[in-house]
Amino acid sequence: MRATAVAQPNIALIKYWGKQNIAENLPATGSLSVTLASLTTRMTVDLNDALQSDQLRVNGEPAADMLPRVSACLDYLLGADRAKASIDSECNFPIAAGLASSASSFAALVVAASHAAGLEADTLSLARAAGRASGSAARSLYGGFVELQTSAQEIHVETILAAEEWPMQVVVAITATGAKAISSGDAMNLSAETSPFYASWVEHQDHDLREARRAVEARDFAALAEVSEHNCLKMHSVMWGSRPPVVYWNNVTLACMETVRALQADGVPVFFTIDAGPQVKAVCLPEAAGQVLKALQQTDGVIDTLQSSLGNAARLLED
Ligand code: PMV
């Protein structure tokens, strides 16, 4: 009744921002991401009939605020009459700061919990369960370049290119620490209700997805860079147009974007993307990683940097 799984966050190049069904957390549009290798969440789930309630520790500390979402995810996956769970999560990178810790957490949770319960579930069913808790988590059940498509009823997720088929590096510039002011879930609902740009964002998403998929299939870095930066800035425009506005950036976020622009002007194969937080993720070809890392480290105000290659799907760890 006990199992441990490990999962990595993913970084969306074509973003998910908005739900078509809030109760089922069904995204309004598809998205496309890369799964990382060296940022990890390791989660142990121990299902125990003797427990009165679920317990969650994150990096050794009780995490009561995250517990309701975790319990709801377990209820959906295993049924409400399941045994209660003792859950231990270890994350080797900052939590709730725009580094997709919820994606790796819920991906690891569904893999560990399904094995602990002896449930025979395929990867897509697990992705759907994780996606109900955090839309982006569905993508961390898969490795490499991952596309999520949605219908009016359900999502479909698949790897469109494995990590080793087109090696890339991601350098993350940490520009602020601490939890964000508004969660991505609340912020995207606010955007859907109030941003005058939201409808057009949704309308054009299929077009951007097609362009990105084509770029990945052709391993066309310049095309992927162009559509990814466009999609990222468009998502942030939707956020900025919300009332009240949702602004996750700070001045160092902008400085990092300038750094990436300067590298591009020198012909370095790199592009930026930014999620619901102030951190800048620079995606580059492996030969450029050293130069990109150094330039971001030397950017005024950058607190820290992380570097990762592309990684594989969430998986079970043998005890
Ligand atoms: O899965 P959530 O609810 O944490 O939302 C993720 C939203 C973005 O990271 C901004 C975009 C994405 O596709 O990952």
Side-chain angles (χ1 to χ4, degrees):
M1 297 298 273
R2 181 187 150 101
T4 300
V6 68
Q8 294 88 235
N10 64 80
I11 306 292
L13 305 183
I14 302 299
K15 310 289 190 184
Y16 149 56
W17 196 252
K19 308 173 202 286
Q20 57 175 308
N21 182 324
I22 293 178
E24 292 181 17
N25 209 37
L26 192 62
T29 70
S31 53
L32 190 149
S33 61
V34 286
T35 302
L36 301 183
S38 52
L39 279 58
T40 58
T41 297
R42 187 179 191 278
M43 199 172 285
T44 300
V45 175
D46 195 350
L47 294 166
N48 185 339
D49 284 321
L51 286 174
Q52 298 298 310
S53 60
D54 294 330
Q55 297 166 2
L56 172 66
R57 281 166 302 279
V58 176
N59 295 337
E61 300 290 328
D65 49 336
M66 265 188 76
L67 188 57
R69 279 173 80 195
V70 167
S71 294
C73 181
L74 292 177
D75 286 349
Y76 177 77
L77 184 68
L78 307 178
D81 58 349
R82 67 181 168 84
K84 299 296 181 206
S86 171
I87 305 147
D88 274 288
S89 179
E90 300 286 335
C91 214
N92 74 353
F93 61 97
I95 293 170
L99 287 179
S101 58
S102 65
S104 52
S105 298
F106 285 104
L109 178 71
V110 294
V111 173
S114 59
H115 279 88
L119 188 75
E120 300 276 328
D122 61 21
T123 305
L124 185 56
S125 311
L126 293 179
R128 287 176 176 151
R132 282 181 72 102
S134 161
S136 56
R139 300 185 308 239
S140 278
L141 270 297
Y142 296 80
F145 292 82
V146 178
E147 183 171 352
L148 182 151
Q149 290 169 354
T150 188
S151 70
Q153 289 80 37
E154 61 192 10
I155 57 166
H156 183 88
V157 198
E158 63 182 327
T159 291
I160 57 170
L161 201 64
E164 61 278 6
E165 288 182 285
W166 195 17
M168 257 181 219
Q169 292 283 317
V170 179
V171 178
V172 182
I174 309 285
T175 69
T177 52
K180 51 197 169 200
I182 177 167
S183 72
S184 49
D186 289 345
M188 65 177 79
N189 293 342
L190 180 69
S191 290
E193 282 163 25
T194 65
S195 178
F197 309 135
Y198 180 75
S200 131
W201 157 257
V202 170
E203 192 190 324
H204 290 98
Q205 198 66 352
D206 268 351
H207 175 268
D208 289 5
L209 259 178
R210 255 198 314 277
E211 223 177 287
R213 190 189 314 127
R214 245 187 267 131
V216 170
E217 283 165 0
R219 294 166 179 69
D220 182 341
F221 187 84
L224 186 63
E226 204 273 329
V227 71
S228 299
E229 287 192 356
H230 167 69
N231 195 263
C232 163
L233 293 175
K234 208 161 54 173
M235 177 184 74
H236 286 274
S237 306
V238 174
M239 294 177 182
W240 285 37
S242 306
R243 299 182 83 166
V246 177
V247 179
Y248 285 114
W249 300 359
N250 58 41
N251 57 338
V252 187
T253 312
L254 280 161
C256 290
M257 290 161 73
E258 284 298 312
T259 297
V260 172
R261 287 268 184 257
L263 288 166
Q264 289 171 335
D266 284 345
V268 178
V270 59
F271 65 88
F272 65 76
T273 190
I274 305 161
D275 291 299
Q279 328 305 1
V280 177
K281 292 112 184 187
V283 183
C284 63
L285 292 177
E287 62 268 25
Q291 203 179 346
V292 171
L293 181 68
K294 196 165 161 219
L296 285 169
Q297 280 170 340
Q298 287 173 348
T299 301
D300 267 356
V302 168
I303 297 168
D304 201 1
T305 49
L306 307 167
Q307 189 182 335
S308 179
S309 50
L310 304 192
N312 296 319
R315 63 212 168 271
L316 192 67
L317 288 186
E318 303 302 334
D319 271 339

